Amino acid sequence: ALRDEDGAEAAGLRLRLGAHLAKKLSLAVSQDTALPEAGPRHGADLAHRVLTALDAGDHGDEVRCEVLTECRWGLYDYEPPSELLRMSQQLLEAAVRLGDPYFRGEALVALAIDQLRVGRVHSAWSTVDLHRKHAARSGSALARWQQCTLDTLFDLWGGKFESAADWIFGESREVVGALEADLAVPADTLQQTRLGQAYWLLREEGRMDELFSSGLAENVERHGFFPVWRAGMALALCETGDLGPAADRLVAFADDTEGFTALPPYGWALPAMALLAEVCAALDAHGGYGDALARVLPGLRRAMGRQPEGIALAGWPTVLIGPTARALGLLDLAAGDTAGALRRFREAERPAGDSPPQMARLRLAQARALMRSAPKGRGRAVAGLLGTALSAAERYGMKALARECRVQLERAPG
């Protein structure tokens, strides 16, 4: 109906509709969940065309805000985080000029997400603080839910597990109920965010068995059409000692994605691969799964090696899984490249430096790499790394990690 209409209003409406369609197509996640002749790549291509048309004319800040908001999501899996960061900065500038509280909130959340993905954690803290003030002024239930989700993400990153649990298992139920009632956000999006944060809390505290005993695992399985949840289930099996099925799921994931070549270049692919790197590390540390690792590691290392340096962020947002460099180091170590692993682990220290849980896991990984590279001459260094990791694990209640540190200390040379 609008195709042959002239005038600014029709042009703006065409841009808005194109941007919304681009987002909907991209968020199909994979071709398996999309209609024929549609899907994520089509959404990304449409987003590029809409943005080109936006820049070709002066359509006003209201149209600009809506198009940038939607097209950024349309490109989330197909453009590097640095490019999305540029878009979210442009969105915030336009939202401030427009004076619209909805788009200002969307812009601040988008900016925080993109800052986190490129590893600018301190910048993201500042952005989240601005969003906190915005949420208080707006009185919006959606803004409050977004703020509490971001606060819980930082609580998990910083080892404030009690505070995270208060939100995940407490007030979030009421907020989610209110948002579901007025259809502000699709219910499944809300539930998956809570599920993801609950999953990561259980993992950090070494309580992953509760995922299965509480019935949460059924929710994880039900969302298996999101590949990140398939990777998460494989890791959960590792964490509970069920390594054989975890290895089977790892190999199946690689086969289903054609050796990881069918994954999108960015976006959700990174947290999925980062979780699978943890699975590879667990199988490698236990031993006896060389065949499975041999089938998976070459493709996974190539796919992860194309990712830019930064932090793997699951959800939009849910949890920070960890630095890309650490995940690559785990894969290097599993592949027998200890020198490469140690180099990657050093690179991971910068983005992980403010996260005691991440640093504890990083020190354990460094100790394992040193034990393999020069077991006779590095005893004191290994013991120091393991002692540091153990002390942090005990301080923050990371029971499974503390147990693994003690096992490695018994094996450490000298």
Side-chain angles (χ1 to χ4, degrees), residues 368-384:
R368 287 184 56 226
L370 280 178
M371 289 170 69
R372 291 190 184 184
S373 63
K376 293 184 179 179
R378 302 285 185 91
R380 182 170 294 181
V382 168

Side-chain angles (χ1 to χ4, degrees), residues 1-14 59:
L2 288 166
R3 184 174 298 147
D4 299 320
E5 289 289 328
D6 295 325
E9 184 180 14
L13 284 170
R14 280 193 292 268
H59 300 281

Side-chain angles (χ1 to χ4, degrees), residues 1-3 9-25 46 50 63 66-67 70-71:
L2 288 166
R3 184 174 298 147
E9 184 180 14
L13 284 170
R14 280 193 292 268
L15 289 174
R16 288 170 159 180
L17 289 167
H20 281 282
L21 181 57
K23 173 184 176 180
K24 295 297 184 185
L25 291 172
L46 177 56
V50 172
V63 171
E66 190 163 352
V67 169
E70 300 297 275
C71 284

Side-chain angles (χ1 to χ4, degrees), residues 363 366-367 370-371 374-388 409 411-414:
R363 295 308 184 209
Q366 289 173 319
L370 280 178
M371 289 170 69
K376 293 184 179 179
R378 302 285 185 91
R380 182 170 294 181
V382 168
L385 289 167
L386 290 173
T388 299
L409 274 169
R411 297 175 180 173

Side-chain angles (χ1 to χ4, degrees), residues 61-143:
D61 283 325
E62 185 175 1
V63 171
R64 186 168 185 79
C65 282
E66 190 163 352
V67 169
L68 285 173
T69 298
E70 300 297 275
C71 284
R72 177 184 164 277
W73 288 120
L75 295 172
Y76 191 83
D77 299 324
Y78 291 91
E79 289 293 328
S82 58
E83 176 61 21
L84 283 241
L85 176 59
R86 185 185 67 82
M87 288 182 65
S88 58
Q89 290 168 334
Q90 292 177 343
L91 172 58
L92 181 58
E93 292 169 2
V96 169
R97 288 195 301 267
L98 182 63
D100 185 285
Y102 171 77
F103 285 119
R104 183 180 179 86
E106 290 292 299
L108 288 169
V109 172
L111 181 59
I113 289 172
D114 296 334
Q115 288 168 332
L116 289 169
R117 293 172 72 211
V118 300
R120 291 170 53 180
V121 177
H122 292 104
S123 297
W125 281 346
S126 176
T127 302
V128 169
D129 191 53
L130 289 174
H131 185 271
R132 181 175 293 105
K133 297 170 185 174
H134 159 78
R137 285 195 302 268
S138 71
S140 161
L142 174 60

Side-chain angles (χ1 to χ4, degrees), residues 255-397:
D255 290 345
D256 289 348
T257 57
E258 301 173 22
F260 305 99
T261 61
L263 297 179
Y266 306 104
W268 64 256
L270 177 55
M273 290 190 292
L275 291 172
L276 293 178
E278 301 279 358
V279 174
C280 291
L283 297 176
D284 173 56
H286 185 274
Y289 294 94
D291 290 345
L293 290 172
R295 290 177 61 180
V296 170
L297 281 172
L300 185 53
R301 291 178 79 193
R302 281 194 298 271
M304 276 223 70
R306 293 192 289 268
Q307 295 289 331
E309 182 180 346
I311 298 175
L313 171 72
W316 301 290
T318 301
V319 297
L320 291 168
I321 292 173
T324 308
R326 178 178 174 273
L328 285 163
L330 294 176
L331 295 176
D332 288 343
L333 187 58
D337 181 4
T338 54
L342 287 168
R343 184 176 65 255
R344 299 284 193 185
F345 293 150
R346 284 193 295 273
E347 293 170 1
E349 292 177 357
R350 183 189 62 80
D354 291 320
S355 170
Q358 289 287 331
M359 288 303 297
R361 294 187 185 280
L362 186 58
R363 295 308 184 209
L364 173 59
Q366 289 173 319
R368 287 184 56 226
L370 280 178
M371 289 170 69
R372 291 190 184 184
S373 63
K376 293 184 179 179
R378 302 285 185 91
R380 182 170 294 181
V382 168
L385 289 167
L386 290 173
T388 299
L390 175 60
S391 177
E394 291 177 336
R395 184 182 312 120
Y396 289 93

